[in-house]
Amino acid sequence: MAVGFDPWAAVLERLDDAAKLTGVDPDIHRLLRTPKRVLEVAVPVRMDEGHVEVFTGWRIHHDTTRGPAKGGLRFHPQLDAREVAALAAAMTLKTAVANLPFGGAKGGVRCDPTKLSLGELERVTRRYTVEVMPLLGQDRDVPAPDVNTDGRVMAWLMDTLATMTGRAEPGAVTGKPLSIGGTRGHSGATSAGVVVCTRSVFTELEIPVAGSRAIIQGFGKVGGPLAFLLSSAGMRVVAVSDIGGAVHNPAGLDVSALADHCAHAGTVAGFDRGDPIEPDDMWELDCELAVPAALEGAIDDHVAGRLGARVVVEAANGPTTPSADAILDRRDIVVVPDILANSGGVTASYFEWAQSRQGYAWDEHTVASRLRKGMEESFVGVWAKSELLGVSLRRAAFALAVERVAEAISARGLFP
Ligand code: NAD
């Protein structure tokens, strides 16, 4: 995360703007400015060499009016409550844009998984699960993977819940392995959704996909598959960066060889079929598409002023700061916002939740075609709203989401 960037303040600024744009009831606006429920927990874990380390964890529900809370689980050494709250609020808005019957949540543990053994990672996950268990369940709150967590972590979480309650509840977690009730097509779903948004926005802007150049920040669960999908669509992925460095090849990187290198070296840095480039300089490369797929605040004023791309499609959550947004707007760089662009992941999670509750697995084609249709419809809805209001896609997406959540809040009314 960029130094000094406050993700919760950024969410509030955008919520306030959406409230103004839509003229939403001020009482509902006030409700949305406060997370519904914040649980902070101590996560004591016996480390391999004998002592007990006490990590801090959170699970935050931002709003649950439209359905059970839904949101990922992040393990990161700089995680704090404001970041988790911001990510939870983004989930409320994202599930509303995608029109899914969920509210918004997020959780995580402040820890550095690169410094944990597999056993320590499992103990962190299982102890965290027990500490936040009062909030979890298929009708209450359904976690999924996020930064530094994966299907294995979800499997431990599901097993811990089942062990503690004495009953199987596969619908209580998504992003789990296929062998225990995960869905086909989950692992590439966020990236597939980013591609749908890229195709849709390029069509609107009359930019051909084939032959266009892309840069990607992040080569993890989202950035990795995305690089494959973009190059399969005929784009040239000319640069990729990650925590370890960046590589550049104007002719287009061999994505498959890059993935092999990364699997071996743990980073894209050092890939020999491209030239090293400073990660910060990557943003200046002349290209049609830039995809931030790492952490919040990556596109700040400094990056926005030099960005060489015509279009940004936000795979990461909160990658652009509000002031950078204004710069991109002035420079006529079109931004497809996170709450639309990366909603393929939560859409696949919704499909998984539905399958787990039905006890009936869908085939790959059903998942892929419903995902594509859902993403296309979400894009069309946000694009139309942006034309109607004469505002950026981000402001339009926030406005659409706030209207949908506000409608649900006023339909249910205030207790007591
Ligand atoms: P990941 O942990 O699998 O990968 C993160 C990648 O970002 C890694 O390649 C890492 O090296 C890189 N990175 C980290 N810090 C960096 C830095 N300072 N500079 C450059 N690269 C850096 O995480 P992920 O699941 O791919 O998530 C990436 C982003 O996408 C996050 O913002 C996440 O919230 C968002 N997202 C993920 C999903 C999903 O399905 N996993 C869904 C929606 C949104």
Side-chain angles (χ1 to χ4, degrees):
M1 189 167 23
V3 181
F5 175 59
D6 179 348
W8 177 244
V11 164
L12 288 185
E13 191 174 331
R14 287 172 175 149
L15 257 179
D16 294 349
D17 176 63
K20 223 181 277 165
L21 267 180
T22 55
V24 75
D25 179 339
D27 289 338
I28 292 179
H29 177 205
R30 257 193 305 283
L31 258 175
L32 293 177
R33 291 186 105 256
T34 313
K36 177 184 173 68
R37 197 173 278 131
V38 177
L39 177 58
E40 180 173 303
V41 294
V43 183
V45 170
R46 172 114 22 225
M47 306 305 277
D48 289 349
E49 84 281 11
H51 79 283
V52 171
E53 195 79 49
V54 184
F55 301 97
T56 304
W58 295 269
R59 189 71 190 168
I60 296 184
H61 294 174
H62 172 258
D63 185 80
T64 55
T65 313
R66 300 180 80 255
K70 185 85 192 82
L73 178 60
R74 178 174 292 199
F75 289 169
H76 196 272
Q78 272 102 43
L79 196 68
D80 63 28
R82 289 178 81 80
E83 183 177 5
V84 181
L87 291 163
M91 288 306 297
T92 301
L93 302 167
K94 193 184 300 183
T95 52
V97 167
N99 227 344
L100 306 175
F102 286 132
K106 205 80 178 189
V109 179
R110 188 194 295 142
C111 66
D112 185 351
T114 62
K115 301 206 167 89
L116 299 177
S117 69
L118 193 62
E120 289 166 344
L121 187 68
E122 178 172 352
R123 293 196 288 281
V124 167
T125 305
R126 288 187 183 277
R127 184 62 193 243
Y128 166 80
T129 304
V130 167
E131 297 300 336
V132 302
M133 214 173 89
L135 300 191
L136 304 182
Q138 65 177 10
D139 294 316
R140 282 198 291 261
D141 174 359
V142 186
D146 189 63
V147 173
N148 291 326
T149 61
D150 55 15
R152 183 173 54 187
V153 169
M154 294 306 114
W156 290 330
L157 198 153
M158 180 179 145
D159 183 69
T160 305
L161 277 181
T163 305
M164 298 302 292
T165 62
R167 58 170 208 276
E169 202 184 324
V173 52
T174 62
K176 52 195 182 286
L178 210 51
S179 59
I180 52 170
T183 182
R184 294 181 172 81
H186 193 282
S187 59
T190 304
S191 320
V194 170
V195 174
V196 172
C197 288
T198 302
R199 284 189 183 282
S200 303
V201 72
F202 273 35
T203 303
E204 293 292 349
L205 301 172
E206 298 180 359
I207 306 173
V209 170
S212 282
R213 296 154 300 174
I215 60 169
I216 304 174
Q217 183 199 41
F219 200 64
K221 293 187 296 297
V222 178
L226 178 67
F228 275 107
L229 293 173
L230 291 178
S231 44
S232 314
M235 289 187 86
R236 268 182 293 150
V237 178
V238 294
V240 171
S241 72
D242 69 7
I243 189 88
V247 281
H248 173 219
N249 185 338
L253 291 160
D254 178 337
V255 173
S256 174
L258 181 61
D260 287 346
H261 166 85
C262 200
H264 179 70
T267 167
V268 299
F271 182 56
D272 61 4
R273 292 198 226 167
D275 300 316
I277 178 173
E278 278 301 314
D280 191 45
D281 294 342
M282 179 182 83
W283 298 113
E284 283 181 27
L285 294 173
D286 203 21
C287 61
E288 284 68 37
L289 175 69
V291 183
L295 294 176
E296 293 94 333
I299 303 185
D300 55 12
D301 292 7
H302 172 68
V303 171
R306 300 176 300 133
L307 193 74
R310 289 179 63 188
V311 176
V312 175
V313 179
E314 294 182 338
N317 283 308
T320 309
T321 66
S323 57
D325 243 351
I327 297 172
L328 296 177
D329 223 19
R330 272 201 301 280
R331 296 188 59 215
D332 279 334
I333 296 172
V334 175
V335 179
V336 183
D338 49 4
I339 58 171
L340 167 61
N342 69 31
S343 61
V346 72
T347 302
S349 276
Y350 166 58
F351 296 162
E352 181 175 334
W353 180 74
Q355 291 169 72
S356 290
R357 304 193 67 151
Q358 281 177 312
Y360 180 77
W362 306 354
D363 62 35
E364 186 119 35
H365 171 74
T366 304
V367 174
S369 61
R370 288 182 180 174
L371 178 71
R372 191 170 54 247
K373 183 166 173 282
M375 290 301 302
E376 284 169 355
E377 284 173 4
S378 299
F379 183 88
V380 166
V382 172
W383 186 270
K385 191 78 176 173
S386 123
E387 301 235 291
L388 182 75
L389 298 175
V391 299
S392 69
L393 292 172
R394 180 176 333 272
R395 296 180 72 198
F398 269 69
L400 188 72
V402 164
E403 274 176 357
R404 285 183 180 160
V405 178
E407 192 185 339
I409 292 174
S410 48
R412 285 180 61 161
L414 185 69
F415 179 87

